[in-house]
Amino acid sequence: MSTTTALECKNLGFIGIGAMGRPMVENLAHKLPTDAQIHIFDVLEQAVIELCAQYPKRILKATSARDVTEKSSIVLTMLPESPHVRTVYLDPTDGISSHPPLFTPSSPKLLIDSSTIDTATHLSIKQHLTTTLPPSSFTFYDAPVSGGVPGAINSTIAFFLGCAATDPNLPLLTTLTSLMGKQIIPCGGASLGLAAKLSNNYLSGVIAIACSEAMNMGMRAGIDPRVLADVYAAGTAQNAICDRFNPVPGVREGSPANHGYRGGFRVQLMKKDFGLAVQMAERVGAKLVLGEAGLKTYEGASGDERCEGLDSRVVYRYLGGEEEWEGKIGE
Ligand code: NAD
């Protein structure tokens, strides 16, 4: 099966014009066919007004999620947490599904949620849509992303799609998401994009803590952190956090640690995703030995004023790691 297909959609909707949503919409504005329009909505009206002013006639202001749905055959959502997603899809007055006659089997709508939320909420929204809207009038997918704000700006984010590799909509989903991202991975079925994203962030979060602890102990024993990073890279501990996002300042080029942990993936988002992953593990009966300790660590770092709002690898600072090591260690 071909992995791409022509994108014939002339009216696309996007709800949630925040840190991720805004650059994703801008990429769509640059890359969609010239006759396509994007209808956008956010509860923060200013974000909508600014973006519409930047792309007149291409990006148009909508007044609610329902208004976006009325005007669009494909609707993407990029919202903070489960309650926001629930409101946008299910609010009986203004939600996407609030007016079932907008949905017809003759021109089914594609609904795609890229927010990182829990799998149970996604499945319950899907169930609700299935019971409220006419049969065959829509398809609803989870499509969370990884790669952060820089990835959203440079269209290098990865999309984890909640569908099978044989899904008939996969070519269209791939074409659409490729305008905003680089790697598009179908994860097997409904809510499995989210399950993949949460397990990925659990792993990445645990590695960041382990890397911070290991660097801290090695440095306290007297080893230069650059040597430590080379040792891990050469040995069985090799990992992307150590190589590309090393939590110790001045060890690896491009790491947020080098500029006061600014940029990167906010520790508050890691706390949220880590908590969702722990919940999912509990729901599916997967035993975790590091879950509770990891969650406590990210909760602590999120509430610590030295770490708040910074890249999640600031966990090294939270654990008491030496940041001003140059001239003190390994020379
Ligand atoms: P954000 O808070 O910057 O943006 C979310 C937007 O949704 C805001 O503008 C907010 O006003 C809007 N919103 C909230 N409720 C709404 C409603 N009822 N109707 C319309 N708009 C509403 O968040 P973000 O950083 O863009 O993240 C969005 C999602 O992507 C989250 O689930 C996050 O976990 C995930 N994510 C974020 C990053 C990142 O680095 N920021 C990376 C990967 C995934």
Side-chain angles (χ1 to χ4, degrees):
M1 184 177 60
S2 155
T3 52
T4 57
T5 190
L7 191 63
E8 281 157 15
C9 167
K10 302 272 181 282
N11 285 289
L12 194 131
F14 203 108
I15 301 169
I17 313 300
M20 295 294 285
R22 183 180 176 131
M24 288 165 79
V25 171
E26 291 195 65
N27 278 313
L28 289 171
H30 290 138
K31 297 176 193 170
L32 278 170
T34 47
D35 56 348
Q37 292 187 314
I38 310 166
H39 305 272
I40 64 169
F41 174 68
D42 193 295
V43 282
L44 294 177
E45 198 183 6
Q46 193 53 32
V48 174
I49 290 171
E50 274 174 29
L51 201 49
C52 292
Q54 223 179 311
Y55 299 87
K57 298 197 177 128
R58 180 70 149 168
I59 302 183
L60 305 172
K61 177 175 178 283
T63 54
S64 65
R66 172 177 164 166
D67 189 30
V68 169
T69 310
E70 189 162 358
K71 291 169 175 158
S72 315
S73 50
I74 298 178
V75 180
L76 285 128
T77 48
M78 191 52 162
L79 300 155
E81 299 189 36
S82 302
H84 310 97
V85 179
R86 200 173 267 286
T87 302
V88 163
Y89 279 88
L90 305 183
D91 182 273
T93 313
D94 282 332
I96 288 175
S97 62
S98 58
H99 192 54
L102 294 179
F103 290 82
T104 56
S106 55
S107 55
K109 291 186 193 289
L110 195 57
L111 309 174
I112 304 163
D113 183 33
S114 283
S115 324
T116 304
I117 60 167
D118 61 291
T119 52
T121 297
H122 179 83
L123 290 170
S124 84
I125 293 173
K126 189 177 169 89
Q127 176 60 27
H128 194 279
L129 296 175
T130 306
T131 52
T132 344
L133 302 178
S136 311
S137 65
F138 77 97
T139 39
F140 176 47
Y141 294 98
D142 52 308
V145 306
S146 185
V149 176
I153 292 170
N154 299 319
S155 41
T156 54
I157 45 179
F159 280 84
F160 308 135
L161 302 181
C163 70
T166 52
D167 190 296
N169 279 324
L170 181 58
L172 176 58
L173 287 166
T174 303
T175 303
L176 177 66
T177 51
S178 297
L179 303 178
M180 298 170 281
K182 206 165 158 196
Q183 271 182 289
I184 319 295
I185 304 176
C187 296
S191 87
L192 296 184
L194 280 166
K197 161 83 182 168
L198 295 180
S199 64
N200 175 78
N201 282 23
Y202 178 81
L203 180 56
S204 160
V206 164
I207 292 173
I209 295 172
C211 183
S212 298
E213 289 179 339
M215 295 290 294
N216 191 20
M217 77 169 85
M219 289 164 72
R220 282 174 188 262
I223 311 171
D224 184 316
R226 291 164 298 195
V227 174
L228 271 174
D230 288 345
V231 166
Y232 303 157
T236 51
Q238 189 275 330
N239 68 84
I241 301 295
C242 183
D243 292 348
R244 291 172 29 220
F245 302 92
N246 199 291
V248 182
V251 170
R252 284 291 191 253
E253 216 176 298
S255 171
N258 299 354
H259 347 93
Y261 299 95
R262 271 173 258 289
F265 186 63
R266 275 181 292 137
V267 68
Q268 272 75 13
L269 285 175
M270 180 58 92
K271 179 192 78 171
K272 180 192 84 153
D273 292 0
F274 205 95
L276 292 175
V278 169
Q279 266 174 35
M280 180 178 82
E282 207 172 280
R283 195 168 62 82
V284 300
K287 181 176 174 179
L288 302 178
V289 293
L290 303 174
E292 202 181 314
L295 186 54
K296 234 168 127 183
T297 307
Y298 285 115
E299 281 170 351
S302 295
D304 184 327
E305 60 183 18
R306 299 169 307 142
C307 306
E308 218 180 319
L310 298 175
D311 177 68
S312 57
R313 274 59 64 145
V314 74
V315 72
Y316 173 77
R317 173 182 286 172
Y318 178 70
L319 295 172
E322 175 64 81
E323 294 171 56
E324 308 286 334
W325 56 269
E326 275 175 273
K328 293 185 201 160
I329 302 173
E331 281 166 24

